[in-house]
């Protein structure tokens, strides 16, 4: 049986890790390089680094910071935020990342997924999708861009399927409605996307306890779970979370 992955997310603004609730009111919580080093020491399976202001400011992520993080960790490392061209993808991979997360720019230019997958391989191209409940959409969920600030006409399920058809090798599904609230993942949305595509889906937004993560894997059918607040707060370590999941019968790398 494939092991379930635990991924820690570092939301970075102006070179510092921040954390907000439902994509708002972000506060400074530390140095991303030091935090990456610590989570690697704790045994996290992967790291995701989002430059949360890059798209809004019309720039790519900060390469020097990506290089510094990559030098601290020897696990898969994904970078997102403001990636608008094949040259941006190349620069980020050369800086030490294994994957890039395409979100707002992919909505604006879906061919970026296709070109990225053609040149670098599907395994390097992750669709980052920010979605929220909206009963006006066919699936009941609407895609948002620019850090959740701008709504689109894209239906979440349809966009996930299209992105995979273009070459996305994984989807990180950020549920805006549950982001940062620590009351559990948006399981209905997670299960719908997981069952509609044939690539790994990462649940994101809402974890507060190991039980929430277990539910993402069982009820939500997710292949991996992205966490932030529950470890950034110091309430849990990655090791404690994995031990709790293992005790529930969830296969994880210990």
């Amino acid at each position: 049986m494939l092991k379930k992955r635990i991924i820690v997310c570092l939301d970075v603004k102006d070179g510092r890790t921040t954390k907000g609730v439902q994509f708002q009111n972000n506060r400074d919580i530390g140095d991303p390089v030091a935090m990456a080093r610590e989570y690697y020491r704790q045994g996290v399976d992967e790291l995701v680094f989002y430059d949360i202001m890059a798209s809004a400011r019309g720039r790519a992520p900060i390469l020097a910071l990506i290089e510094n993080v990559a030098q601290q960790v020897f696990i898969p490392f994904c970078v997102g935020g403001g990636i608008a061209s094949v040259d941006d993808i190349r620069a980020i991979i050369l800086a030490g990342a294994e994957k890039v997360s395409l979100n707002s720019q992919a909505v604006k230019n879906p061919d970026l997924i296709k070109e990225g997958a053609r040149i670098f391989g599907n395994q390097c191209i992750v669709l980052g999708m920010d979605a929220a409940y909206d009963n006006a959409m066919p699936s009941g969920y609407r895609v948002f861009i620019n850090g959740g600030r701008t709504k689109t006409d894209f239906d979440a399920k349809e966009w996930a399927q299209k992105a995979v058809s273009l070459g996305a090798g994984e989807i990180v599904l950020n549920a805006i409605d549950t982001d940062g609230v620590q009351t559990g993942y948006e399981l209905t949305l997670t299960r719908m996307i997981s069952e509609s595509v044939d690539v790994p889906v990462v649940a994101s937004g809402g974890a507060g306890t190991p039980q929430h993560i277990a539910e993402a894997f069982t009820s939500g059918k997710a292949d991996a779970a992205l966490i932030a607040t529950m470890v950034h707060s110091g309430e849990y370590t990655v090791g404690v979370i994995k031990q709790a999941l293992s005790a529930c019968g969830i296969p994880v790398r210990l």
Side-chain angles (χ1 to χ4, degrees):
M1 184 181 292
L2 283 175
K3 299 284 198 295
K4 299 294 188 181
R5 291 172 289 145
I6 301 299
I7 304 171
V8 168
C9 176
L10 302 174
D11 286 336
V12 177
K13 178 182 178 182
D14 301 325
R16 299 286 293 176
T17 307
T18 71
K19 193 68 192 88
V21 176
Q22 294 177 330
F23 289 31
Q24 297 178 12
N25 303 317
N26 285 68
R27 57 187 176 82
D28 186 318
I29 59 172
D31 170 34
V33 179
M35 293 175 75
R37 184 190 309 122
E38 172 59 19
Y39 293 131
Y40 174 66
R41 187 193 68 77
Q42 290 182 18
V44 74
D45 297 306
E46 297 185 23
L47 276 174
V48 173
F49 172 114
Y50 290 135
D51 189 324
I52 61 172
M53 295 305 295
S55 284
R57 292 175 178 170
R59 62 160 175 79
I62 301 166
L63 294 176
L65 191 53
I66 295 165
E67 289 176 354
N68 287 338
V69 171
Q71 289 167 4
Q72 302 297 323
V73 302
F74 301 93
I75 50 176
F77 172 39
C78 180
V79 172
I83 301 168
S85 68
V86 167
D87 286 343
D88 288 342
I89 297 173
R90 181 179 291 108
I92 288 165
I93 291 172
L94 289 174
E98 283 77 21
K99 307 177 187 179
V100 296
S101 177
L102 305 178
N103 190 320
S104 302
Q105 299 300 332
V107 170
K108 296 170 187 175
N109 175 22
D111 281 345
L112 183 59
I113 298 172
K114 190 174 183 178
E115 278 299 286
R118 182 181 67 81
I119 295 169
F120 303 103
N122 304 63
Q123 78 286 349
C124 290
I125 306 300
V126 178
L127 177 72
M129 181 166 67
D130 302 333
Y133 179 75
D134 187 335
N135 62 10
M137 304 307 288
S139 71
Y141 294 88
R142 183 186 296 272
V143 175
F144 286 71
I145 59 172
N146 297 329
R149 290 181 287 274
T150 307
K151 75 178 185 178
T152 74
D153 293 327
F154 283 49
D155 176 78
K157 181 178 177 180
E158 290 174 3
W159 176 225
Q161 292 173 327
K162 181 177 179 181
V164 170
S165 74
L166 289 169
E170 185 170 77
I171 296 173
V172 174
L173 176 60
N174 308 303
I176 296 173
D177 297 312
T178 55
D179 177 72
V181 299
Q182 294 189 271
T183 55
Y185 292 95
E186 220 287 22
L187 297 176
T188 302
L189 172 62
T190 303
R191 183 170 56 252
M192 178 183 70
I193 299 299
S194 296
E195 290 178 342
S196 69
V197 297
D198 59 0
V199 300
V201 172
V202 181
S204 172
T209 68
Q211 183 59 36
H212 293 153
I213 300 172
E215 289 166 357
F217 293 142
T218 53
S219 299
K221 309 291 186 185
D223 299 277
L226 188 145
I227 57 175
T229 305
M230 65 187 293
V231 287
H232 295 340
S233 67
E235 186 173 358
Y236 293 95
T237 66
V238 174
V240 165
I241 292 167
K242 285 188 170 186
Q243 291 288 352
L245 292 171
S246 182
C248 293
I250 306 287
V252 291
R253 295 183 186 88
L254 296 173

